[in-house]
Amino acid sequence: MAENGTGMPPGHGGESLLFLTDDQLRRGIEAMFFAYRGFTADPDRILAEHAYGRAHHRALHFVHRSPGTTVNNLLNILGVTKQSLNRVLRTLIEDGLVSSKVGVKDRRERHLFLTDAGKELEKVLSEAQRKRMRAAYREAGPEAVAGFRKVLLEIMDPEMRKHFDQLKDSM
Amino acid sequence: MAENGTGMPPGHGGESLLFLTDDQLRRGIEAMFFAYRGFTADPDRILAEHAYGRAHHRALHFVHRSPGTTVNNLLNILGVTKQSLNRVLRTLIEDGLVSSKVGVKDRRERHLFLTDAGKELEKVLSEAQRKRMRAAYREAGPEAVAGFRKVLLEIMDPEMRKHFDQLKDSM
DNA sequence: CTTGGAAAGTCAACAAGGCTGACATAAACT
DNA sequence: AGTTTATGTCAGCCTTGTTGACTTTCCAAG
């Protein structure tokens, strides 16, 4: 036992592989768990006031991010079934936060946009979330932030990484 | 408009606050979202084979981490209601993965332990999760990992941070 | 010693948000 | 004309969260 997870005996590897020990990895896993709770806490509180959930927030975020995106594209980004997404999208459309427009080139497709009310809520939600991230970034400093981003990129599934990189273009 | 989120006009602040722009923060938020999906993907697959969910994984993790912990302590760490936790705990106990022992000092309390079967499953789950984290850490390098941990700490709610730090002691 | 209250468990009911399967429609492609 | 694709919708199921009400056990303070 006393497995260090590096596949090498402890004490070997001159480049100091101590950050790859099982204990260090376990701490990172726990940090991700606790941090994600904080990450979603502020938007969750606001959403609850509007009788919405995290699923609505995600839809608002990505429609805001890629105005005119199709339902299918959103499906791939969010990684849920169309039935799940549709339920959320339908309420957002009914409530006048999202508008759905038939495609011009391919009229089977629906292109999604935020209405003014949708932009309003998205802004409130994202500003609450950014506020916490901004404070965290400021405390941690630019180099820590660079490392943070670097590790997160590596944790992603390749397909999710692809979506993440594609969003970059429209920034 | 063109709000940069720093509360300062763009171009000011000699210490390069570019990493605090709203766009940078938004990228960080998206990275967290996509990365968390990857973070949970491997355990989720294994759990599905056993007809368990993420809630079972969390319970197994923290009971493993703090053997003999009480239900109440677990409640605080996980941040759910006792009814939610109880449902999960009950199935784990019925399935012989967790054992619950009446406290000696305070006999109202139940102290939770993993059985051999519970330790087995916890190991499979955590090794799957660590495998991905290990690869990510290795790719990103020790300095990035330090930054990653630093930012995650800052994102946590103070109360969650407290729990996180308390776990450290028993490591 | 009695009683108040904390810790834990249980039952019931409900909601969000995942899932599958089946089916409809419209439009594009071959 | 027939097939595939994009979308929407209905029905039903599961997990995991919630609230509220109630019981049992048992420590501890009056």
Side-chain angles (χ1 to χ4, degrees):
Chain A
M1 296 307 118
E3 177 57 56
N4 65 14
T6 62
M8 298 174 65
H12 284 245
E15 321 88 341
S16 169
L17 293 173
L18 284 180
F19 74 110
L20 292 176
T21 62
D22 277 10
D23 279 356
Q24 288 292 309
L25 293 165
R26 196 177 280 277
R27 289 299 282 166
I29 287 168
E30 287 169 352
M32 268 297 267
F33 170 70
F34 287 119
Y36 202 77
R37 294 259 298 280
F39 173 69
T40 57
D42 303 319
D44 279 354
R45 267 189 290 273
I46 296 165
L47 288 159
E49 294 168 12
H50 295 252
Y52 289 137
R54 239 174 250 183
H56 301 86
H57 184 194
R58 291 196 284 266
L60 286 174
H61 176 100
F62 286 108
V63 172
H64 169 80
R65 196 69 165 68
S66 307
T69 186
T70 63
V71 173
N72 222 14
N73 184 42
L74 209 50
L75 238 42
N76 290 327
I77 288 176
L78 296 175
V80 297
T81 59
K82 63 174 179 174
Q83 293 92 330
S84 270
L85 177 57
N86 199 258
R87 178 170 35 197
V88 166
L89 232 33
R90 201 190 319 152
T91 62
L92 289 174
I93 291 170
E94 282 171 5
D95 294 355
L97 300 184
V98 168
S99 76
S100 158
K101 288 174 186 163
V102 173
V104 265
K105 190 184 163 196
D106 185 337
R107 292 169 57 195
R108 288 170 305 179
E109 294 181 341
R110 303 299 142 82
H111 296 276
L112 303 168
F113 301 88
L114 294 191
T115 64
D116 287 347
K119 285 174 188 165
E120 183 64 30
L121 180 56
E122 194 284 331
K123 188 176 176 179
V124 172
L125 291 170
S126 66
E127 289 213 332
Q129 198 161 35
R130 276 199 300 273
K131 186 180 175 190
R132 183 185 292 248
M133 293 297 278
R134 189 179 301 121
Y137 275 22
R138 204 193 307 267
E139 280 300 312
E143 286 175 33
V145 169
F148 172 68
R149 293 274 300 273
K150 201 169 178 183
V151 173
L152 288 185
L153 275 176
E154 296 295 335
I155 294 175
M156 291 178 202
D157 266 349
E159 201 187 344
M160 289 301 108
R161 170 79 179 262
K162 212 178 61 193
H163 288 303
F164 180 76
D165 288 339
Q166 279 169 3
L167 284 171
K168 197 175 196 169
D169 302 339
S170 53
M171 192 131 236
Chain B
M1 292 307 119
E3 177 58 57
N4 65 14
T6 62
M8 296 175 68
H12 285 246
E15 322 88 340
S16 169
L17 294 172
L18 284 179
F19 74 112
L20 291 176
T21 62
D22 278 8
D23 280 355
Q24 288 292 308
L25 293 164
R26 196 176 279 277
R27 289 299 281 166
I29 287 168
E30 288 169 352
M32 269 296 267
F33 170 70
F34 287 119
Y36 201 78
R37 294 260 297 281
F39 174 70
T40 58
D42 302 319
D44 280 354
R45 267 190 290 274
I46 296 165
L47 288 159
E49 295 168 11
H50 295 253
Y52 289 137
R54 241 175 248 183
H56 301 87
H57 185 192
R58 292 196 283 267
L60 286 175
H61 177 99
F62 287 107
V63 172
H64 169 78
R65 197 68 165 68
S66 307
T69 187
T70 64
V71 172
N72 221 19
N73 184 42
L74 210 49
L75 237 42
N76 290 326
I77 288 176
L78 296 175
V80 297
T81 60
K82 63 175 178 174
Q83 293 90 333
S84 263
L85 177 57
N86 200 259
R87 178 172 34 199
V88 165
L89 232 34
R90 200 191 318 149
T91 62
L92 289 175
I93 291 170
E94 281 171 4
D95 296 353
L97 301 183
V98 168
S99 76
S100 158
K101 288 175 187 164
V102 173
V104 266
K105 189 185 165 194
D106 184 337
R107 291 169 57 194
R108 288 167 304 180
E109 293 180 344
R110 303 294 187 276
H111 296 276
L112 303 168
F113 301 87
L114 294 191
T115 63
D116 287 347
K119 286 175 188 165
E120 183 64 30
L121 179 56
E122 195 283 332
K123 188 176 177 180
V124 171
L125 290 170
S126 66
E127 290 214 332
Q129 199 161 34
R130 276 199 300 274
K131 186 180 174 188
R132 183 185 292 248
M133 294 297 278
R134 190 179 301 122
Y137 275 21
R138 204 194 307 266
E139 280 300 312
E143 286 174 32
V145 168
F148 171 69
R149 293 274 299 272
K150 201 169 178 182
V151 173
L152 289 184
L153 274 176
E154 296 296 335
I155 295 174
M156 292 177 202
D157 266 350
E159 202 187 343
M160 288 302 108
R161 171 79 180 262
K162 212 179 62 193
H163 288 303
F164 180 76
D165 288 339
Q166 278 169 2
L167 284 170
K168 197 175 195 168
D169 302 338
S170 52
M171 192 131 236

